[in-house]
Amino acid sequence: MIPELEIIKPFSLEEAVDFLNDHPAEARIIAGGTDIIPGLMQGSKRFTGIKYLVDLQQIDELKEIIADSENITIGALLTFSQMINNDSLKNNFPLLVKSASTVGSVQIRNRATVAGNFINNAPCADSVPPLLVYNAKIKLLGVNGNYEMPLSDFLIKPYFTRLKTGEIVTQIILPKPKKEFIGDFYKLGRRRGVAISRITLAALIQIEDNKLGEIRLASGAVSPIGMRFFDLEQKYSGSVISDKLLKNISSDLGKEILKVTGLRWSSEYKVPVTQQAMYLLLERICSAHKQVK
Amino acid sequence: MNDKSSPRKFSRRKFVQGVSTTIIGSYVLTPGVSKISEKLEAETKEIASGKKPLNLIVNKVRYELMISPETTLAEVLRNELKLTGTKLICNHGECGGCTVLLNGEAIYSCQMLALDAGEKEVTTIEGLLTGEELHPIQKAFVEHDGLQCGYCTPGQIIAAQAILLKNSQPSKEEILTGMSGNLCRCAAYPNILKSVLAAAGYLTEGTNR
């Protein structure tokens, strides 16, 4: 059983922010509820002390998808199923849509929201590595108005973000990558459906005449939270593509992950597997690029 | 007036709670001269216990209920409406036993608050029957032995219905993807797949007739 609660259904963002600020310790936002309802049901410590759930479903502006020449901006209430069925997102952000189609199961994707995925900030949040390689920014609304922040700054540590009490993530801003960018997403789980990821990797690279332009790499599940590898990206940007180069990038990625996680009992297995997975991912991207040409 | 109200702000609920406590209190004290109807008494008791009204449309029948806000859709279906075909197995959104359709889309009813389903169309396994006659998917599961113990079957059939509503001729892959959120501990998967493929055939035959 879920402990006694009240459900608040504000009709505007202002109303929601006001209520959250009036009840800082006791109110929590609910969107799809696929993390919070099972969490409450199981008595998870992360959700103790909640007396009010602020359900944002009535606020239609949080469900909009707005496209302009530079960005596609998606409302925070967009579900994974809605994302998978959106052609414009499919064309511009294929890695994100691919990751969305691996989240949980149909039943979960029909309810769970993309914003909820990174606000919950579980290490295994499938959509986070793709969002990071697309340089996603988020728009927040608090008592002092709207402001933006890169997603990579927003995520702090497992299950913690920079979301302040009384604030709402309203939109996700996805800058459209230039045409030369090509990428892919990889997920390893224990099974195909309803699987918690063990490894997720996203790579988005710019290829010009057999040379790497900008590279963007991100991992999830094997790192404490979804993260980018900015140093590594800088180091290899501009290199001539070869099998050896792809191996070096993958090898360095494993070392970087080891630096962040420290040596764990599973490292002996996970690091080489992650390196190999990244190598295969990069190889696949490079051969896909050749085929397009 | 109310021992629980101290740290919270004054709200309408607390007000009604306070008033109803007083009304019920006076009723108990002077039973002989009460002017409160039994219905009103029942209503005030429900409001006093923090219940909220819910209009739920299940299998095309409209229900007007009073429920505690923290009740999940699965709990309302099973405990209030006695539609026990919807199964609660893991109760945290992993196994698929509680799958129902919400406006035609498969969802886990254990993972959703009942209040969230207000005014939406819910379909449970009971809603697939026409009188005593089985739905073509149910027939296919019987004929192709798409179950062993049968406990996950209502969820499996509803998940299959969600697929077939959108795509009358799904491929094997599409069925496997669409039903990956429904686990079967007996591992009757091969026959579940056969059953859904057969059901797709029955349904198409039916529409062609």
Side-chain angles (χ1 to χ4, degrees):
Chain A
M1 292 286 282
I2 296 175
E4 204 176 301
L5 286 173
E6 273 196 60
I7 315 295
I8 310 298
K9 295 192 171 215
F11 284 90
S12 71
L13 282 170
E14 291 68 32
E15 242 181 279
V17 168
D18 284 349
F19 188 89
L20 289 167
N21 279 290
D22 287 347
H23 306 82
E26 300 169 319
R28 192 74 67 91
I29 295 168
I30 180 167
T34 56
D35 282 313
I36 205 164
I37 300 297
L40 286 166
M41 191 63 89
Q42 292 181 302
S44 158
K45 278 184 197 158
R46 292 174 51 215
F47 303 120
T48 47
I50 297 178
K51 289 196 176 132
Y52 304 98
L53 287 178
V54 181
D55 183 355
L56 303 178
Q57 296 288 347
Q58 329 260 341
I59 306 174
D60 286 338
E61 57 183 295
L62 294 178
K63 295 174 185 169
E64 287 172 354
I65 301 178
I66 306 158
D68 59 37
S69 56
E70 289 180 5
N71 303 309
I72 295 184
T73 302
I74 58 180
L77 283 182
L78 196 80
T79 65
F80 285 111
S81 290
Q82 286 162 344
M83 175 173 265
I84 295 165
N85 292 319
N86 184 286
D87 287 334
S88 156
L89 289 172
K90 238 186 271 181
N91 294 335
N92 290 288
F93 305 101
L95 280 65
L96 181 58
V97 173
K98 188 175 178 182
S99 74
S101 68
T102 71
V103 172
S105 59
V106 174
Q107 291 95 324
I108 292 174
R109 295 194 288 273
N110 282 340
R111 297 285 301 162
T113 64
V114 187
N117 203 210
F118 64 73
I119 293 168
N120 189 51
N121 201 17
C124 56
D126 287 332
S127 65
V128 169
L131 285 169
L132 291 175
V133 296
Y134 285 125
N135 289 336
K137 283 179 286 183
I138 55 169
K139 203 167 174 183
L140 297 119
L141 176 68
V143 270
N144 300 321
N146 281 303
Y147 66 101
E148 286 175 17
M149 186 190 284
L151 179 64
S152 54
D153 291 349
F154 182 69
L155 309 173
I156 307 176
K157 58 176 184 175
Y159 305 105
F160 285 90
T161 67
R162 287 195 204 286
L163 188 72
K164 289 187 214 118
T165 308
E167 281 184 348
I168 298 175
V169 173
T170 56
Q171 286 174 322
I172 305 159
I173 304 163
L174 296 165
K176 289 184 193 166
K178 286 186 195 145
K179 272 188 183 163
E180 314 86 72
F181 274 100
I182 178 164
D184 209 344
F185 169 77
Y186 170 82
K187 166 171 170 168
L188 177 75
R190 283 193 177 166
R191 51 179 187 253
R192 273 187 295 173
V194 214
I196 293 170
S197 304
R198 301 291 148 167
I199 302 175
T200 49
L201 296 170
L204 192 66
I205 57 184
Q206 206 177 13
I207 303 180
E208 292 161 347
D209 308 326
N210 210 32
K211 258 176 131 182
L212 288 179
E214 195 182 330
I215 1 174
R216 302 179 193 165
L217 306 171
S219 74
V222 272
S223 37
I225 55 170
M227 62 177 282
R228 277 280 291 273
F229 295 86
F230 295 109
D231 291 349
L232 199 67
E233 293 171 8
Q234 207 134 46
K235 181 177 167 189
Y236 287 103
S237 159
S239 310
V240 178
I241 299 171
S242 68
D243 191 53
K244 185 136 195 285
L245 178 81
L246 303 187
K247 279 183 179 154
N248 287 342
I249 296 174
S250 311
S251 163
D252 281 4
L253 182 99
K255 288 175 197 158
E256 288 285 324
I257 289 172
L258 205 53
K259 264 192 228 166
V260 183
T261 59
L263 200 61
R264 295 184 183 181
W265 66 269
S266 59
S267 299
E268 200 180 337
Y269 163 74
K270 269 192 186 168
V271 173
V273 172
T274 308
Q275 287 167 326
Q276 182 67 12
M278 182 49 107
Y279 168 70
L280 293 174
L281 190 69
L282 291 173
E283 207 187 29
R284 203 156 67 214
I285 295 168
C286 291
S287 63
H289 174 256
K290 272 180 203 157
Q291 273 176 15
V292 171
K293 273 189 147 184
Chain B
M1 189 161 86
N2 190 314
D3 55 350
K4 269 159 90 189
S5 66
S6 50
R8 292 204 208 164
K9 274 193 178 175
F10 193 73
S11 68
R12 195 172 60 175
R13 177 175 153 188
K14 289 289 157 205
F15 173 75
V16 176
Q17 203 165 336
V19 170
S20 60
T21 318
T22 320
I23 296 169
I24 296 164
S26 61
Y27 171 66
V28 172
L29 286 173
T30 54
V33 290
S34 167
K35 283 171 190 161
I36 304 167
S37 73
E38 276 180 26
K39 191 174 170 241
L40 181 65
E41 190 201 349
E43 273 175 19
T44 45
K45 263 187 190 165
E46 274 172 335
I47 296 169
S49 63
K51 292 196 173 182
K52 288 272 163 75
L54 167 68
N55 276 327
L56 201 58
I57 307 159
V58 184
N59 304 330
K60 302 205 167 82
V61 179
R62 183 178 280 272
Y63 297 89
E64 285 177 17
L65 304 162
M66 292 297 290
I67 60 153
S68 302
E70 67 275 8
T71 318
T72 63
L73 179 58
E75 288 168 344
V76 167
L77 292 173
R78 289 180 55 82
N79 303 339
E80 305 288 326
L81 306 183
K82 309 295 176 198
L83 295 171
T84 51
T86 301
K87 302 299 177 199
L88 270 177
I89 308 172
C90 76
N91 206 8
H92 60 263
E94 279 189 15
C95 74
C98 67
T99 303
V100 299
L101 300 183
L102 186 74
N103 289 347
E105 306 269 2
I107 56 120
Y108 292 144
S109 61
C110 77
Q111 217 177 36
M112 175 175 181
L113 294 173
L115 285 177
D116 227 6
E119 298 300 333
K120 290 173 189 152
E121 295 253 359
V122 178
T123 309
T124 68
I125 188 74
E126 290 89 347
L128 294 193
L129 290 167
T130 312
E132 289 291 303
E133 197 191 331
L134 294 181
H135 185 275
I137 306 176
Q138 293 173 305
K139 277 183 201 160
F141 268 72
V142 175
E143 283 162 18
H144 295 268
D145 212 8
L147 56 131
Q148 190 172 321
C149 83
Y151 208 71
C152 71
T153 312
Q156 302 281 0
I157 290 174
I158 291 289
Q161 168 74 341
I163 298 171
L164 295 171
L165 280 176
K166 284 198 177 145
N167 178 359
S168 59
Q169 291 298 310
S171 66
K172 270 189 185 180
E173 267 309 308
E174 284 165 332
I175 296 171
L176 292 177
T177 311
M179 297 186 66
S180 67
N182 292 75
L183 306 184
C184 170
R185 287 294 295 269
C186 310
Y189 298 111
N191 285 1
I192 291 173
L193 180 63
K194 273 184 211 162
S195 307
V196 180
L197 285 167
Y202 297 167
L203 286 162
T204 331
E205 273 170 38
T207 51
N208 288 344
R209 254 174 224 163

